Amino acid sequence: MSYCQVDRRQLLRGATAVALATLWEDRSFAQTNYSFKQGNFSISVVSDGFISIPGNIFAPDAAPQELVEILGRLDSQAGIVRAKTNIPVIRSKSDLILVDIGAGHRYQPSDGKLTENLRAAGVDPLNVTKVVFTHAHPDHIAATIAANSNLRFPNATYYVGASEWDFWMDPDFFRSTPAAIHDFGRGAQRDLRAIEERVVMVKPGDDIVTGLRVLDTAGHTPGHLSLEISGEEGLIITADAATSEIVSLEHPGWKFGYDTIPEVAIKNRVRLVDRAATEKTKLLGYHWAYPGVGFVETKGSAFHFVPAV
């Protein structure tokens, strides 16, 4: 298995991004409670805030001038991108389902807004019945344990890809993986252990509930999952299979700097984008400009994103 290699310079740029985030206006991005119907499901997109990521992580394959042009189209400052965190809240009969839960107080000062934004949207965390983890990176699961050491969503059942669990919880993890991801590994193990007694392992093709199916989009992490929702044209919650509505959709064959297995990530991203364009499937992106909902259309020989709102 070939892992991405995050070198010391990238780590330093990441630290600079976190520092810069404290200087930027700290918006909660509760500016919306964008909601829509998808078949038998009611879906709202609630923000966890944003995280700051070096621009060259988004597009390491871009030529210098091309990267400048891309950063001009993203929400960026001084080469740092403010990547939004859009969390789907899905209502289905008696279930209230979250797809990922953000970072809580453990990652960057500009994220961790989900709980307050849920309450602002009239959602009580105690009423969440299911939480689906697309993968175990901190901006997706580090909110698992609240500041009082209790589970933030104490009445939920947690759904995790079996391959994702096995990767992070491998007893040999710290000997078999690059040191650059060891901090992520410690966080993932902490959070996954916290839900061990209430976890359901899933694999691609499994249903979370009828009409909400697990889709294989490995590569960003070895067990990364997306979710496919039935109804109308269909909807795919991409998570980090496509991290930017600009870069990932217009250049699906480019690497993303934080992909664990780049060649697998690219293969699945190309397949996802091509399918969305061909079948006119709606997409919901985790790090896209809020609310991150829209379609892929062909533009000449390339793809581009058309927001739904």
Side-chain angles (χ1 to χ4, degrees):
M1 183 181 292
S2 61
Y3 294 105
C4 68
Q5 297 295 322
V6 182
D7 63 24
R8 183 173 180 273
R9 288 172 297 175
Q10 287 175 310
L11 291 173
L12 288 173
R13 285 192 291 267
T16 301
V18 174
L20 186 57
T22 66
L23 301 177
W24 282 347
E25 180 185 0
D26 183 12
R27 306 175 192 170
S28 68
F29 291 99
Q31 75 267 32
T32 57
N33 177 18
Y34 178 70
S35 299
F36 61 100
K37 293 284 291 184
Q38 181 67 35
N40 295 323
F41 299 91
S42 296
I43 301 174
S44 298
V45 183
V46 179
S47 177
D48 193 49
F50 68 91
I51 62 172
S52 298
I53 300 176
N56 61 354
I57 293 295
F58 273 99
D61 290 340
Q65 187 55 43
E66 197 169 23
L67 179 60
V68 170
E69 187 272 334
I70 287 170
L71 290 176
R73 297 168 61 198
L74 294 170
D75 182 4
S76 69
Q77 181 176 327
I80 304 298
V81 176
R82 302 199 318 176
K84 311 305 184 289
T85 49
N86 305 318
I87 296 180
V89 180
I90 303 172
R91 294 170 176 84
S92 171
K93 298 181 180 178
S94 60
D95 274 313
L96 181 60
I97 305 166
L98 301 183
V99 181
D100 294 329
I101 57 174
H105 60 289
R106 298 183 183 276
Y107 193 43
Q108 294 187 12
S110 55
D111 60 1
K113 314 300 184 187
L114 176 63
T115 299
E116 64 190 81
N117 287 346
L118 284 174
R119 293 190 185 281
V123 177
D124 187 338
L126 296 178
N127 293 333
V128 174
T129 60
K130 292 179 170 64
V131 171
V132 183
F133 286 157
T134 63
H135 63 297
H137 279 171
D139 54 320
H140 294 255
I141 77 164
T144 298
I145 304 169
N148 62 6
S149 298
N150 296 325
L151 289 178
R152 194 175 301 270
F153 302 100
N155 297 319
T157 300
Y158 292 77
Y159 293 77
V160 180
S163 296
E164 186 75 359
W165 182 282
D166 290 345
F167 172 70
W168 296 104
M169 300 301 278
D170 182 354
D172 291 326
F173 176 86
F174 295 102
R175 290 189 292 272
S176 62
T177 59
I181 65 171
H182 286 181
D183 281 347
F184 277 15
R186 282 183 277 272
Q189 291 186 3
R190 174 198 63 226
D191 296 327
L192 295 178
R193 286 194 184 103
I195 62 167
E196 196 162 13
E197 295 183 357
R198 52 178 65 217
V199 71
V200 174
M201 301 293 182
V202 295
K203 62 183 184 304
D206 288 349
D207 285 348
I208 305 300
V209 297
T210 300
L212 178 59
R213 179 161 296 179
V214 175
L215 185 66
D216 176 19
T217 50
H220 181 65
T221 61
H224 184 282
L225 303 173
S226 298
L227 292 172
E228 186 173 5
I229 302 181
S230 62
E232 290 85 39
E233 64 281 309
L235 170 71
I236 295 175
I237 298 172
T238 68
D240 283 3
T243 50
S244 165
E245 75 275 21
I246 293 174
V247 181
S248 302
L249 303 189
E250 295 180 11
H251 305 281
W254 283 6
K255 294 188 293 292
F256 175 67
Y258 292 153
D259 284 342
T260 306
I261 317 172
E263 64 275 15
V264 175
I266 289 170
K267 176 182 176 181
N268 281 324
R269 183 158 48 249
V270 168
R271 181 171 61 185
L272 174 68
V273 173
D274 183 69
R275 175 188 168 183
T278 301
E279 299 180 4
K280 303 188 185 308
T281 301
K282 188 182 291 183
L283 300 179
L284 196 167
Y286 192 78
H287 290 303
W288 302 1
Y290 186 95
V293 180
F295 298 88
V296 182
E297 292 186 354
T298 56
K299 187 176 183 180
S301 60
F303 300 106
H304 73 122
F305 178 64
V306 179
V309 290

